[in-house]
Amino acid sequence: MKTTPGGRKLPHIVVVGAGFGGLNFVQQMPPNLARITIIDRQNHHVFQPLLYQVAAAGLSAVDIAQPVRAIFGSRPNLEVLMAEVTELDLANRRVVHARGELIYDYLVIAAGGHTSYFGHDEWAEFAPGLKSLDDALTIRRKILTSFECAETEPDETRRREMMTIVVIGGGPTGVELAGTFAELTHRALRKDFDHIDPRKTRILLIEGSPRLLAAFPPDLSASAERQLKTLGVEIRTGTRVEAIRDGEVVAGGETIRARNIVWGAGVAASPLTKQLGVELDRGGRAKVLPDCSVPGHPEVFAIGDAMSLVDAKGVTVPGVAQGAIQTGRHVAKLIVRELRGEKFSPAGRQAFAYFDKGSIATIGRSRAVGQFGKVHISGFAAWVAWLAVHITFLIGFRNKLSVLLQWTFSYFTFKRGARVITGVAGGPPANAA
Amino acid sequence: MKTTPGGRKLPHIVVVGAGFGGLNFVQQMPPNLARITIIDRQNHHVFQPLLYQVAAAGLSAVDIAQPVRAIFGSRPNLEVLMAEVTELDLANRRVVHARGELIYDYLVIAAGGHTSYFGHDEWAEFAPGLKSLDDALTIRRKILTSFECAETEPDETRRREMMTIVVIGGGPTGVELAGTFAELTHRALRKDFDHIDPRKTRILLIEGSPRLLAAFPPDLSASAERQLKTLGVEIRTGTRVEAIRDGEVVAGGETIRARNIVWGAGVAASPLTKQLGVELDRGGRAKVLPDCSVPGHPEVFAIGDAMSLVDAKGVTVPGVAQGAIQTGRHVAKLIVRELRGEKFSPAGRQAFAYFDKGSIATIGRSRAVGQFGKVHISGFAAWVAWLAVHITFLIGFRNKLSVLLQWTFSYFTFKRGARVITGVAGGPPANAA
């Protein structure tokens, strides 16, 4: 047990969510100024930018996850709670969760995003999204199992369906998934089977808008498209998905039969934002004031993917890790100033300003595109930059070493140590993928 | 795809099970003498002696598992099939599985063991066993989740139940589980919580016979008992389990309330042995002839945990990894001789003789007991021997390195990197463990 000297007398801050926003908020807070409770429905922080590697069996789940309790170790005045938040009662400064309730002085909503099917929730069953470790393990299990089934499938048409992967969404997640699935099937699995040739796996990437990576400049979109084509990925831009059924995607008027459909398209805020009683944007994000506080509640903040804000410089804060990290730190600084006795009206609080550090999207082994201000890079140089950034940011000593080891190993051998299927007692069902 | 020159004309050997027995059989066979199909309901081989480490969050699942396809790489004349065997039709030399059937010239049953509740299958729901990765992940999830629930549980009695772990069975599995749970709760989780003190976790080890590790000499049983007590484990030998219900074990007339009950007691052969049409022992193992073949079927062998045999020297072949490894190699040698043209009657085949290399049981960090012939060791020396043996035997380069890294890390820090709970979307249920 941790000692919490005099902790009960300190103001109480409740943080909902242990993603990049919540963690960076806490890390920015001095430990003796407030009592903090961080609540998450999972017991671990996930390094989301590498989730696609778990889905494609390149990394194992624990390589990119760290128990929240382990991250904060013996930090005083901090409690970690694994529970789902069920109600936000702003009038009474109360957070209700599955096994009790918390009374706060400050509330920070850092609940992140979840997969959005643009009003077609019935698609979720057939096209899993990629927001949690369990999502990633589900996708991995489905893909590896469908190759096992293809190996014994006598019917050519059915076999083709089992060996077709459709990735929906041409943003960074979709591009990363398509690229890494291409490497998994065309390289790592190449020699594993007797009756099928995994190199013949068909991988389609479907994007509704005219180009991939719409948030990047057009020259990098074009480069990403070229690099994916080199890996054998079929690209359909300007193609809207009309329907998804069991083993079938209808897009741009065409029906594509595929046993593996992965949804990398939409992200919406956690439904918790609906309980804040403020205006939401189309993605369900709470429209916050320039200081990231919720209108009418200067003691409640929403950060990261939970909020929608055009910042002081007129930039829409993007729904990426840096947006969550920077808003988390910003709110911590505001609260520190208030707790240290500075008095100012909410309108007098410092407005948040997003600092664009650049963006990188990776496209498999030694391929990527990156933008740093006016500098555009692509190919191997961008990939090295991506590798450096991600290893630096990974939380936890063990994970850094283990990820580095695994990457080095798979770089030189193209074997994938994480290619283990769990959660299917008794093997795949008869003639099903 | 692998090239299989002329493979279709070779005799066909079907191996059921990719555990120690099945793998060692295949590794002993020269690649160009027969066509081999190895069939398992999982896609991976599990290094069973370390399963308890996965259950206690000391290692992650992929550290001790290797995809069967990856183990054999591009070996010719070998097919791997992930499917559950549903029928053995010896009269027609046919193996039926979930997605088709195989015709064999030789059949090797290496289907291993599964958890046996001694006729009380209704206990399985409340006291999971430890035979697969999924079992280990289930036990880990239950224990870690019950600590999360205890942290917010206001009722003292219920909190005590959540912080009680009962391990049933005082054989090597039970001793290893109890020891490593003691270290997990008393050391690794020590500083993680605010409202509970994990050092106060009660761990009970229940064994029906008068002493722990009945297969070891009495002085080592006594040493194991002393070492476990040092770790804070309560030991009840000579205590029969009478009933297991939800959150409750009745043993030796006493009712013990516990949210975590783990079954490490019984192992029986896979139910497939029933289809061999021969006499079985009490554990469901097929009574085989001295050469490990099934009576009446010289082309069918049962090895490892699937068979029961008193060997040429009068020793009952034990149901341990070495038993499976040695019988697998023995049968491979017999088949090689026959395929190379040596003619002899089944009765003329060489009888199997077990070579006892000694046994080690570990009791947590730097504690163990071991027997090598007349040499008995215990404590740190036994633990070092155990470590050396297990790292040497681990299959696959990556795993060796990764396990070594993780052990070194957890040895020096007592942190457990694998302490991640997957498979519980939405966190633990209200007031339940």
Side-chain angles (χ1 to χ4, degrees):
Chain A
M1 276 169 90
K2 292 180 285 187
T3 48
T4 305
R8 298 295 146 192
K9 290 170 199 157
L10 293 171
H12 186 207
I13 304 175
V14 171
V15 181
V16 179
F20 284 119
L23 288 198
N24 278 275
F25 170 83
V26 175
Q27 277 158 351
Q28 188 71 38
M29 289 293 301
N32 292 312
L33 211 52
R35 189 162 60 89
I36 298 176
T37 302
I38 186 162
I39 179 168
D40 197 292
R41 56 188 194 155
Q42 300 286 5
N43 84 325
H44 50 270
H45 169 75
V46 175
F47 192 79
Q48 295 239 7
L50 291 177
L51 260 186
Y52 77 96
Q53 287 267 5
V54 175
L59 291 173
S60 63
V62 294
D63 286 330
I64 65 156
Q66 194 78 333
V68 182
R69 298 189 184 285
I71 291 171
F72 291 113
S74 51
R75 178 184 161 121
N77 301 316
L78 180 104
E79 283 190 27
V80 177
L81 204 58
M82 178 187 173
E84 175 135 35
V85 170
T86 52
E87 191 192 337
L88 300 177
D89 174 7
L90 268 50
N92 298 301
R93 298 194 172 191
R94 202 169 63 108
V95 171
V96 185
H97 60 83
R99 301 196 309 282
E101 62 171 54
L102 301 163
I103 304 297
Y104 61 79
D105 296 297
Y106 285 100
L107 174 63
V108 179
I109 304 294
H114 71 145
T115 303
S116 162
Y117 291 88
F118 305 135
H120 291 280
D121 287 349
E122 72 276 14
W123 294 354
E125 186 183 348
F126 313 115
L130 184 68
K131 290 303 286 180
S132 69
L133 277 188
D134 286 320
D135 287 347
L137 293 173
T138 300
I139 293 171
R140 178 203 293 187
R141 184 185 310 136
K142 271 193 89 162
I143 291 183
L144 294 179
T145 304
S146 77
F147 278 88
E148 295 291 340
C149 290
E151 173 80 347
T152 53
E153 175 57 57
D155 182 71
E156 166 74 23
T157 309
R158 291 175 59 92
R159 207 162 56 230
R160 290 298 311 152
E161 293 173 21
M162 290 168 179
M163 293 175 65
T164 302
I165 302 174
V166 176
V167 177
I168 299 164
T173 300
V175 166
E176 282 163 353
L177 281 170
T180 194
F181 286 149
E183 292 192 335
L184 170 70
T185 57
H186 300 167
R187 305 293 300 264
L189 296 182
R190 190 164 39 108
K191 291 185 177 173
D192 274 4
F193 295 89
D194 288 282
H195 301 290
I196 58 171
D197 184 350
R199 286 175 299 182
K200 292 188 179 152
T201 306
R202 188 179 175 206
I203 298 167
L204 281 96
L205 178 59
I206 300 178
E207 165 59 37
S209 72
R211 62 182 174 95
L212 301 180
L213 300 176
F216 284 72
D219 61 317
L220 293 181
S221 295
S223 170
E225 196 164 325
R226 276 196 308 274
Q227 294 182 59
L228 280 171
K229 281 181 178 161
T230 309
L231 288 172
V233 175
E234 290 179 45
I235 296 166
R236 306 274 170 91
T237 46
T239 304
R240 268 173 49 86
V241 170
E242 287 134 28
I244 302 177
R245 292 184 283 264
D246 188 16
E248 198 167 87
V249 176
V250 183
E254 184 193 5
T255 299
I256 304 153
R257 298 283 306 168
R259 277 282 136 203
N260 297 287
I261 308 167
V262 180
W263 184 262
V267 176
S270 150
L272 275 182
T273 53
K274 289 185 190 132
Q275 301 192 32
L276 293 173
V278 299
E279 201 187 340
L280 306 179
D281 76 358
R282 282 201 314 161
R285 286 170 280 260
K287 293 198 174 177
V288 293
L289 299 177
D291 63 343
C292 298
S293 72
V294 169
H297 287 279
E299 76 286 3
V300 180
F301 297 87
I303 63 176
D305 279 354
M307 62 139 222
S308 171
L309 176 66
V310 177
D311 80 353
K313 293 179 293 186
V315 177
T316 302
V317 181
V320 297
Q322 275 300 323
I325 292 168
Q326 293 180 28
T327 49
R329 290 181 182 161
H330 174 80
V331 169
K333 284 179 195 160
L334 291 184
I335 293 178
V336 167
R337 287 177 63 184
E338 290 192 356
L339 292 178
R340 289 205 167 130
E342 284 189 55
K343 295 239 188 311
F344 43 82
S345 66
R349 282 176 179 167
Q350 195 183 343
F352 174 70
Y354 182 67
F355 176 64
D356 188 356
K357 292 191 170 179
S359 349
I360 312 182
T362 176
I363 309 156
R365 190 181 112 121
S366 68
R367 290 185 176 86
V369 295
Q371 178 192 19
F372 305 93
K374 285 181 182 160
V375 180
H376 300 178
I377 54 174
S378 61
F380 188 72
W383 183 78
V384 169
W386 175 85
L387 198 67
V389 167
H390 284 80
I391 287 174
T392 308
F393 272 90
L394 269 179
I395 288 171
F397 165 81
R398 190 196 77 86
N399 285 359
K400 268 184 216 169
L401 253 183
S402 168
V403 169
L404 195 60
L405 180 73
Q406 192 138 353
W407 278 348
T408 310
F409 182 68
S410 79
Y411 188 88
F412 285 110
T413 63
F414 265 120
K415 288 203 174 135
R416 302 215 172 210
R419 218 157 58 203
V420 166
I421 306 177
T422 54
V424 271
N431 290 312
Chain B
M1 275 171 89
K2 292 179 285 189
T3 49
T4 306
R8 300 294 146 193
K9 291 169 197 157
L10 294 170
H12 186 207
I13 304 175
V14 172
V15 181
V16 179
F20 284 119
L23 287 198
N24 278 276
F25 170 83
V26 175
Q27 277 157 351
Q28 188 71 39
M29 289 293 300
N32 293 310
L33 211 52
R35 187 163 61 88
I36 297 177
T37 302
I38 185 162
I39 179 167
D40 197 292
R41 56 187 194 156
Q42 299 288 5
N43 84 327
H44 50 271
H45 169 75
V46 175
F47 191 78
Q48 294 238 9
L50 290 178
L51 259 186
Y52 78 96
Q53 287 267 5
V54 175
L59 291 173
S60 63
V62 295
D63 287 330
I64 64 155
Q66 193 78 333
V68 182
R69 298 190 185 285
I71 291 171
F72 292 114
S74 52
R75 177 184 161 122
N77 300 317
L78 181 104
E79 282 190 28
V80 177
L81 205 57
M82 177 187 174
E84 175 134 37
V85 170
T86 51
E87 191 192 337
L88 300 177
D89 173 9
L90 267 50
N92 298 301
R93 300 195 170 189
R94 203 169 63 108
V95 171
V96 185
H97 60 83
R99 301 196 309 283
E101 63 172 55
L102 301 163
I103 304 295
Y104 61 79
D105 296 296
Y106 285 101
L107 174 63
V108 179
I109 305 295
H114 72 143
T115 303
S116 162
Y117 291 88
F118 304 134
H120 291 280
D121 287 349
E122 72 276 14
W123 295 354
E125 187 184 347
F126 312 116
L130 184 69
K131 289 304 287 178
S132 70
L133 277 188
D134 286 319
D135 287 346
L137 293 173
T138 300
I139 292 171
R140 177 203 294 188
R141 185 185 310 137
K142 271 192 88 161
I143 290 184
L144 293 180
T145 304
S146 76
F147 278 88
E148 295 291 340
C149 290
E151 173 80 347
T152 54
E153 175 58 58
D155 182 72
E156 166 76 22
T157 310
R158 290 175 60 91
R159 208 162 56 229
R160 290 297 311 153
E161 292 173 23
M162 290 168 178
M163 292 174 67
T164 302
I165 302 173
V166 176
V167 177
I168 299 164
T173 300
V175 166
E176 282 163 353
L177 280 170
T180 193
F181 286 149
E183 293 193 334
L184 170 69
T185 57
H186 300 166
R187 305 294 301 263
L189 296 181
R190 189 165 39 108
K191 290 186 177 171
D192 274 4
F193 295 89
D194 288 282
H195 302 291
I196 57 171
D197 184 351
R199 285 174 300 181
K200 292 188 180 151
T201 306
R202 188 179 175 205
I203 298 166
L204 281 97
L205 178 60
I206 299 178
E207 164 61 36
S209 70
R211 61 182 174 96
L212 300 180
L213 301 176
F216 285 72
D219 61 317
L220 292 182
S221 294
S223 170
E225 197 164 323
R226 275 196 309 274
Q227 294 182 58
L228 279 171
K229 280 181 179 161
T230 309
L231 288 173
V233 175
E234 289 178 47
I235 296 165
R236 307 275 169 90
T237 46
T239 303
R240 267 174 48 86
V241 171
E242 287 134 28
I244 302 177
R245 292 184 282 266
D246 188 16
E248 199 167 85
V249 176
V250 183
E254 184 192 5
T255 298
I256 303 153
R257 298 282 307 167
R259 276 285 134 201
N260 298 287
I261 308 167
V262 179
W263 184 262
V267 175
S270 151
L272 275 183
T273 53
K274 292 187 189 127
Q275 301 193 30
L276 293 173
V278 298
E279 200 187 339
L280 307 179
D281 75 358
R282 281 202 315 162
R285 285 170 280 260
K287 293 196 173 178
V288 293
L289 299 175
D291 63 342
C292 298
S293 72
V294 169
H297 287 279
E299 76 286 4
V300 180
F301 297 87
I303 63 176
D305 279 352
M307 61 140 223
S308 172
L309 177 66
V310 177
D311 81 354
K313 292 179 292 186
V315 177
T316 302
V317 181
V320 297
Q322 276 300 324
I325 292 168
Q326 293 180 27
T327 50
R329 290 181 182 161
H330 174 80
V331 169
K333 283 178 196 160
L334 291 184
I335 293 179
V336 167
R337 288 177 63 184
E338 289 192 357
L339 292 178
R340 288 204 169 130
E342 284 188 55
K343 294 238 189 315
F344 43 84
S345 66
R349 282 177 180 165
Q350 194 184 343
F352 174 70
Y354 182 66
F355 176 64
D356 188 355
K357 292 191 171 177
S359 350
I360 312 181
T362 177
I363 310 156
R365 191 180 109 121
S366 67
R367 291 185 175 85
V369 296
Q371 176 192 22
F372 305 93
K374 284 179 182 159
V375 180
H376 299 177
I377 53 174
S378 62
F380 188 71
W383 183 77
V384 169
W386 174 86
L387 197 66
V389 167
H390 284 80
I391 288 175
T392 308
F393 272 90
L394 268 180
I395 286 171
F397 163 81
R398 190 195 77 86
N399 285 358
K400 268 184 218 170
L401 253 182
S402 168
V403 169
L404 195 60
L405 181 73
Q406 192 137 354
W407 278 350
T408 311
F409 181 68
S410 79
Y411 188 88
F412 285 110
T413 62
F414 265 119
K415 291 209 170 129
R416 302 216 171 210
R419 218 156 59 203
V420 166
I421 306 176
T422 54
V424 271
N431 289 313

